[in-house]
């Protein structure tokens, strides 16, 4: 049986190369996107692309960028501390972060800390709302964030150095290098950020004690066209950070947290007529150390190493019909101070299909099934359509079943882990309406979701907390976004706004989930004239409950925060750019977690050199 399986897999892998001898070659595109699935199978859902101009106007953390640009709510334990998202009323573990086409959420906690992602390390960031587990696996319930290193195969050589200095002795350095021709492509980015982070609390005589942080990151992508049919890409990313967790009370013990993450991925694509095959091989690692006191060398730790292989075979029947077969294998090996050494293997198979019926109507569907020794996975599916009856109006409809697997902490935490846990399951549906007139776009979406078997850590006999599949959650709401671009001679205007209403309730109690606001709004205005650019970013977040009983006395009040900035180009080719930003311009006293105030008005000066 093993031999037959081996021969079968070898046959699939070799099939495209055999066909390549008889099929005419397909010219490769000038730009090789890192995540083709996002392009090919997301037309029935909303995908928000964040251009480089928006990325540069925000602070380097992914939290700041998405907080002021999307409907995602963030629970942030102080500036630069742990940051957890809530996407369409879900938990942080139900938002997937996808790096160059693979899911990178922590195998320990099940989520990604968005303050450990430096946005300037990537040249493409996309936000995909709604379920996506049939494409991206676990966690893609509320939505997914896509961090891409796209490679261009056209003659280009450029360098960009950006230096930031701001309040609280905050320093940021980022250097990017891009070099490409018709055969080779390289993108590299190095970042370093540090801050004393000792801001004063507004309306108080206290300050943010023990809040300093420092981190370094490195991201690189390399592409090589072997010939007209084959292309090899290699991606690597490293992150090394240390944070001293801010104190709630001045007498609290000072602690710190170190984390080190590596991600490596080899990606090989073969074009063979109607067939395109892609093989990904990856190695990921994550490690943390927690010091209960910075005055000692004692620490607790946890680490997980992940090996993965993913094969995708795409067949285009013609210009309107295509299908994909996917097979993947993942092995996780983890241990730690409080985690029993364990290894788990996950195998999955899937199929996707897309049909462009005509210029007005298309549909797609996908199926996925996983097999593992730890849990029984549901059959995952997604069905979507896009209908454009008029040039100015597009209707999008999507239904899907999604899931999230238990983490290493859930399964193997010593004395508390539950190896019998099943995955969280979710059924979702959404209807989107897109209206477009010239430079004006209005998008309105209604969404509905039911989550079953949510994993919660609950007290047992003796007061010990253990995870169980207990909770059912009902989520529904709406999203609306507006984009408007206008050019009058040399005057450029750009207006963007988002509004989201989210009802996310425990079905048993009818209460809103904690740290899920009913309302969130973002709005931005950018103006440029010749060498001058100015912008205003705003975010409003409604009140959130911090207790499961929705005690009105236990809430975080609504807040509105604005950032303003401007920049001047001192050269026609933008070789020298100086910018200035005022963050929290109206000096608002606010927080997103109890007793974790965020900074009042503060300033940042930046210099960008393009050469």
């Amino acid at each position: 049986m093993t031999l037959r399986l081996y021969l079968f897999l070898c046959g699939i892998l070799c099939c495209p190369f055999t066909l390549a001898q008889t099929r005419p070659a397909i010219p490769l595109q000038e730009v090789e996107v890192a995540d083709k699935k996002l392009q090919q199978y997301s037309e029935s859902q909303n995908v928000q692309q964040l251009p480089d101009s928006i990325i540069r106007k925000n602070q380097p953390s992914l939290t700041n960028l998405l907080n002021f640009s999307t409907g995602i709510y963030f629970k942030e334990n102080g500036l630069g501390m742990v940051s957890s998202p809530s996407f369409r009323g879900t938990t942080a573990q139900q938002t997937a972060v996808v790096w160059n086409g693979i899911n990178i959420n922590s195998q320990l906690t099940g989520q990604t800390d968005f303050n450990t992602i430096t946005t300037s390390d990537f040249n493409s960031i996309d936000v995909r709302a709604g379920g996506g587990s049939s494409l991206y696996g676990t966690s893609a319930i509320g939505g997914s964030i896509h961090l891409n290193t796209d490679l261009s195969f056209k003659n280009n050589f450029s360098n960009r150095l950006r230096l930031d200095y701001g309040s609280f002795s905050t320093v940021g350095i980022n250097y990017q290098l891009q070099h490409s021709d018709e055969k080779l492509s390289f993108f590299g980015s190095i970042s370093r950020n540090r801050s004393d982070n000792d801001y004063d609390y507004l309306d108080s005589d206290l300050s943010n004690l023990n809040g300093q942080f420092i981190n370094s990151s490195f991201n690189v992508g390399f592409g090589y066209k072997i010939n007209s049919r084959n292309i090899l890409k290699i991606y690597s990313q490293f992150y090394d950070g240390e944070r001293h967790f801010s104190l709630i009370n001045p007498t609290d013990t000072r602690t710190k947290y170190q984390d080190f993450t590596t991600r490596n991925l080899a990606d090989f694509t073969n074009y063979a007529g109607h067939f395109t095959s892609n093989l990904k091989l990856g190695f990921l690692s994550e490690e943390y150390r927690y010091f209960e006191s910075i005055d000692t060398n004692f620490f607790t730790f946890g680490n997980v190493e992940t090996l993965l292989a993913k094969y995708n075979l795409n067949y285009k029947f013609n210009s309107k019909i295509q299908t994909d077969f996917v097979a993947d294998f993942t092995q996780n090996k983890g241990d730690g101070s409080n985690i029993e050494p364990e290894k788990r293997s996950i195998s999955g198979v899937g199929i996707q299909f897309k049909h462009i019926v005509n210029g007005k109507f298309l549909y797609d569907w996908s199926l996925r099934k996983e097999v593992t020794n730890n849990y029984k996975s549901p059959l995952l599916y997604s069905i979507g359509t896009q209908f454009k009856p008029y040039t100015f109006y597009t209707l999008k409809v999507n239904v899907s079943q999604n899931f999230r697997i238990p983490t290493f902490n859930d399964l193997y935490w010593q004395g508390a882990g539950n190896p019998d846990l099943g995955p969280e399951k979710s059924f979702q549906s959404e209807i989107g309406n897109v209206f477009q007139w010239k430079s004006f776009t209005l998008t309105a979406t209604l969404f509905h979701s039911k989550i079953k078997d949510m994993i919660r850590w609950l007290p047992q006999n003796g007061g010990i907390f253990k995870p169980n599949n207990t909770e059912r959650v009902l989520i529904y709401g709406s999203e609306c976004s507006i984009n408007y671009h206008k050019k009058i001679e040399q005057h450029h205007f750009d207006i963007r706004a988002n509004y989201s209403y989210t009802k996310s309730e425990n079905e048993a109690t009818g209460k809103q989930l904690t740290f899920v606001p009913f309302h969130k709004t973002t709005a931005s205005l950018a103006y440029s004239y010749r060498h001058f650019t100015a912008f205003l970013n705003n975010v409003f977040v409604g009140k959130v409950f911090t207790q499961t009983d929705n005690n009105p006395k236990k809430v975080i009040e609504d807040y509105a925060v604005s950032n303003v900035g401007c920049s001047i180009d001192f050269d026609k080719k933008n070789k020298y750019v100086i910018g200035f930003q005022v963050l929290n311009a109206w000096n608002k006293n606010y927080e997103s977690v109890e007793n974790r105030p965020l900074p009042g008005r503060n300033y940042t000066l930046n210099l960008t050199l393009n050469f």
Side-chain angles (χ1 to χ4, degrees):
M1 181 68 182
T2 303
L3 178 60
R4 281 185 289 177
L5 178 60
Y6 175 79
L7 292 174
F8 172 72
L9 292 175
C10 286
I12 291 177
L13 289 171
C14 294
C15 176
F17 296 96
T18 305
L19 289 169
Q21 304 305 313
T22 59
R23 296 283 187 176
I26 296 177
L28 300 180
Q29 301 176 358
E30 282 190 343
V31 177
E32 277 285 327
V33 296
D35 188 357
K36 288 185 170 63
K37 295 296 182 187
L38 184 65
Q39 282 190 329
Q40 296 172 343
Y41 293 100
S42 298
E43 293 181 276
S44 63
Q45 294 174 274
N46 289 329
V47 177
Q48 182 179 355
Q49 298 178 331
L50 301 177
D52 188 58
S53 58
I54 291 180
I55 294 175
R56 291 200 305 266
K57 289 184 178 69
N58 288 272
Q59 295 301 292
S61 75
L62 189 59
T63 297
N64 189 278
L65 172 67
L66 298 182
N67 193 33
F68 280 86
S69 305
T70 71
I72 304 173
Y73 169 74
F74 285 92
K75 183 176 69 172
E76 192 174 10
N77 294 339
L79 182 65
M81 302 296 106
V82 176
S83 176
S84 305
S86 175
F87 202 158
R88 285 190 173 179
T90 60
T91 65
Q93 292 85 356
Q94 294 163 347
T95 297
V97 177
V98 179
W99 173 72
N100 293 319
I102 61 173
N103 191 320
I104 60 169
N105 276 24
S106 169
Q107 297 295 321
L108 293 168
T109 64
Q111 68 182 76
T112 295
D113 182 352
F114 281 56
N115 273 338
T116 65
I117 303 292
T118 302
T119 58
S120 52
D121 284 340
F122 306 94
N123 54 11
S124 171
I125 297 178
D126 300 293
V127 180
R128 184 183 193 267
S133 290
S134 61
L135 296 179
Y136 299 107
T138 180
S139 306
I141 295 178
S144 51
I145 313 300
H146 299 257
L147 310 173
N148 300 315
T149 306
D150 297 328
L151 299 172
S152 173
F153 286 94
K154 57 183 179 181
N155 292 326
N156 175 53
F157 180 77
S158 63
N159 297 265
R160 184 170 73 191
L161 175 65
R162 172 161 170 158
L163 307 174
D164 291 81
Y165 182 80
S167 302
F168 328 124
S169 300
T170 301
V171 178
I173 302 173
N174 172 257
Y175 171 68
Q176 284 187 10
L177 168 64
Q178 296 186 61
H179 173 65
S180 60
D181 55 30
E182 296 179 353
K183 294 284 291 184
L184 297 173
S185 182
F186 176 84
F187 173 87
S189 176
I190 301 175
S191 297
R192 176 84 165 177
N193 300 285
R194 65 163 303 278
S195 177
D196 290 344
N197 207 23
D198 53 354
Y199 54 90
D200 294 329
Y201 295 161
L202 297 178
D203 305 323
S204 170
D205 57 357
L206 301 176
S207 60
N208 189 45
L209 300 177
N210 198 57
Q212 57 264 45
F213 62 83
I214 185 170
N215 59 68
S216 302
S217 61
F218 170 72
N219 185 62
V220 63
F222 171 78
Y224 173 57
K225 282 186 181 180
I226 300 172
N227 52 45
S228 61
R229 307 175 192 275
N230 302 289
I231 184 170
L232 173 67
K233 291 178 284 187
I234 297 175
Y235 305 101
S236 288
Q237 185 189 18
F238 302 88
Y239 176 87
D240 184 15
E242 177 176 303
R243 286 176 287 187
H244 293 201
F245 286 155
S246 301
L247 306 182
I248 295 179
N249 300 302
T251 57
D252 291 344
T253 302
R254 295 173 183 254
T255 63
K256 69 178 180 180
Y257 185 88
Q258 298 173 343
D259 49 343
F260 180 67
T261 303
T262 68
R263 302 179 181 111
N264 301 278
L265 182 66
D267 182 302
F268 179 76
T269 302
N270 169 258
Y271 297 88
H274 294 289
F275 285 92
T276 301
S277 64
N278 176 260
L279 176 65
K280 295 180 187 289
L281 300 173
F283 173 75
L284 316 177
S285 70
E286 55 179 297
E287 179 182 356
Y288 79 85
R289 294 181 178 183
Y290 174 66
F291 295 77
E292 295 183 357
S293 172
I294 62 175
D295 296 323
T296 70
N297 292 323
F298 174 78
F299 60 86
T300 57
F301 75 97
N303 67 75
V304 175
E305 294 182 345
T306 299
L307 290 171
L308 65 90
K310 184 175 183 179
Y311 178 72
N312 186 100
L313 179 63
N314 171 275
Y315 178 72
K316 288 188 176 181
F317 295 88
N318 51 50
S319 62
K320 296 184 177 180
I321 302 176
Q322 65 176 306
T323 187
D324 287 75
F325 166 77
V326 183
D328 55 66
F329 174 81
T330 304
Q331 183 182 88
N332 307 124
K333 181 181 178 182
D335 64 357
S337 304
N338 299 304
I339 302 174
E340 300 176 1
E342 287 288 346
K343 181 188 295 185
R344 71 177 178 188
S345 299
I346 305 170
S347 301
V349 293
I351 187 170
Q352 293 111 33
F353 180 83
K354 178 180 177 181
H355 182 194
I356 303 174
V357 179
N358 52 45
K360 294 184 177 181
F361 180 71
L362 67 83
Y363 66 92
D364 59 51
W365 56 263
S366 58
L367 298 173
R368 177 175 171 81
K369 180 65 177 177
E370 289 190 355
V371 179
T372 182
N373 58 326
N374 302 106
Y375 58 87
K376 184 178 180 180
S377 169
L379 177 65
L380 307 174
Y381 62 85
S382 175
I383 304 172
T385 65
Q386 182 185 124
F387 179 50
K388 191 172 185 177
Y390 308 103
T391 56
F392 65 88
Y393 173 67
T394 302
L395 173 67
K396 299 182 178 184
V397 181
N398 183 271
V399 296
S400 61
Q401 176 153 290
N402 307 280
F403 83 138
R404 183 181 77 85
I405 66 174
T407 67
F408 264 75
N409 289 358
D410 295 330
L411 294 169
Y412 307 123
W413 193 269
Q414 292 182 359
N418 182 357
D420 297 323
L421 286 173
E424 300 174 344
K425 297 178 284 291
S426 171
F427 173 79
Q428 297 170 252
S429 60
E430 63 180 271
I431 299 176
N433 303 272
V434 182
F435 302 87
Q436 189 168 16
W437 297 275
K438 296 182 180 180
S439 299
F440 177 83
T441 303
L442 168 65
T443 303
T445 304
L446 300 175
F447 59 87
H448 177 274
S449 176
K450 297 192 74 171
I451 301 176
K452 181 182 178 182
D453 295 332
M454 180 177 283
I455 298 172
R456 297 183 66 201
W457 285 68
L458 300 174
Q460 310 296 311
N461 293 334
I464 299 176
F465 280 73
K466 289 190 174 183
N468 289 281
N469 295 108
T470 59
E471 195 164 295
R472 293 173 179 260
V473 176
L474 172 64
I475 302 173
Y476 58 89
S478 61
E479 298 168 337
C480 180
S481 66
I482 295 174
N483 293 332
Y484 178 67
H485 312 277
K486 185 66 174 178
K487 179 181 178 182
I488 304 175
E489 295 180 350
Q490 297 189 55
H491 301 271
H492 297 260
F493 300 87
D494 187 294
I495 300 174
R496 300 170 184 264
N498 295 278
Y499 168 75
S500 60
Y501 168 79
T502 306
K503 177 68 174 177
S504 181
E505 63 181 25
N506 184 322
E507 283 193 320
T509 64
K511 303 296 185 181
Q512 180 85 345
L513 294 191
T514 58
F515 294 100
V516 177
F518 290 102
H519 307 279
K520 182 183 177 183
T521 303
T522 68
S524 65
L525 169 64
Y527 165 77
S528 63
Y529 175 73
R530 293 186 177 179
H531 304 298
F532 174 78
T533 299
F535 68 89
L536 170 65
N537 292 337
N538 304 276
V539 61
F540 168 82
V541 177
K543 70 176 182 180
V544 298
F545 295 106
T546 62
Q547 302 292 327
T548 56
D549 62 358
N550 287 186
N551 185 339
K553 296 182 180 180
K554 297 292 185 179
V555 299
I556 294 177
E557 297 296 338
D558 57 58
Y559 59 85
V561 178
S562 300
N563 297 337
V564 297
C566 63
S567 63
I568 300 177
D569 304 336
F570 288 93
D571 184 271
K572 291 182 179 180
K573 296 183 179 181
N574 299 332
K575 289 185 177 181
Y576 314 100
V577 182
I578 291 181
F580 180 71
Q581 297 182 18
V582 183
L583 310 178
N584 191 3
W586 319 130
N587 209 31
K588 175 69 176 180
N589 185 5
Y590 75 106
E591 60 187 8
S592 60
V593 176
E594 290 177 294
N595 302 313
R596 299 291 188 181
L598 289 159
R601 185 184 298 117
N602 59 100
Y603 309 91
T604 298
L605 179 67
N606 58 74
L607 170 65
T608 302
L609 304 177
N610 297 292
F611 52 96

